[in-house]
Amino acid sequence: MGVLYDYFRAADDAAAVKLMADLDGGPVVTADGRPGVDAIDLKGIDPGVTLGQLVSLARGVAWQAGLVGEQLLCSGDPDGPWLTSLDDATRDTLASITAAQLPELSARWGQTEELAWDGPLPADQMLPVIEAVAALARRARDAGEHLYCWCCL
């Protein structure tokens, strides 16, 4: 079993923490959806490293620790859940990804160590993931909201 990551948008940290309380710790994404919650399930894609690799590619910079600014907002027992906020610079970078960039980003991201355990992924395999996270980031940016990550083992 891997680590679960749900990304969602909320107005502010207080709203994100309240959502966690309302959901009794999560998860945020369910098979039947949650009314009023805009979220995506990105199993195995942690914000700091794996998503950070996408952010570095979109920015045209080398990945480094701390590239994606995260702040722990709440944590459960040793197996989680945890809730972190992502910095608005990350949100804006993801929101700025254009359709023209998608093929190259997918091909390059699929070659990173975090995703290519058994060799490079097919060039288009990460397209739906990039499209989903970029769309979520655009909706958050356009609504003046922020991105959050719920995580649990």
Side-chain angles (χ1 to χ4, degrees):
M1 182 170 140
V3 182
L4 306 176
Y5 295 95
D6 289 352
Y7 291 82
F8 66 98
R9 64 186 179 106
D12 55 31
D13 293 354
V17 170
K18 181 180 181 319
L19 177 63
M20 290 299 96
D22 292 348
L23 300 178
D24 197 24
V28 180
V29 176
T30 60
D32 59 348
R34 293 204 188 269
V37 178
D38 188 2
I40 56 174
D41 173 3
L42 297 182
K43 285 185 181 80
I45 298 181
D46 69 287
V49 179
T50 309
L51 188 67
Q53 291 284 358
L54 175 61
V55 170
S56 74
L57 292 169
R59 289 181 183 168
V61 300
W63 178 88
Q64 61 180 328
L67 182 68
V68 172
E70 296 179 81
Q71 180 179 352
L72 181 65
L73 298 179
C74 58
S75 63
D77 62 42
D79 293 333
W82 301 278
L83 174 65
T84 59
S85 64
L86 306 183
D87 66 319
D88 288 344
T90 295
R91 177 202 63 196
D92 294 346
T93 296
L94 295 169
S96 73
I97 293 173
T98 65
Q101 293 174 290
L102 289 172
E104 181 183 354
L105 287 174
S106 178
R108 292 181 64 205
W109 196 29
Q111 294 175 13
T112 62
E113 179 180 345
E114 293 75 22
L115 295 173
W117 304 321
D118 296 323
L121 299 177
D124 62 350
Q125 185 168 332
M126 298 310 294
L127 281 173
V129 176
I130 299 170
E131 289 171 335
V133 75
L136 176 68
R138 275 191 292 279
R139 292 188 301 271
R141 181 198 60 201
D142 294 350
E145 295 181 334
H146 311 281
L147 290 180
Y148 296 88
C149 180
W150 170 89
C151 171
C152 192
L153 297 180

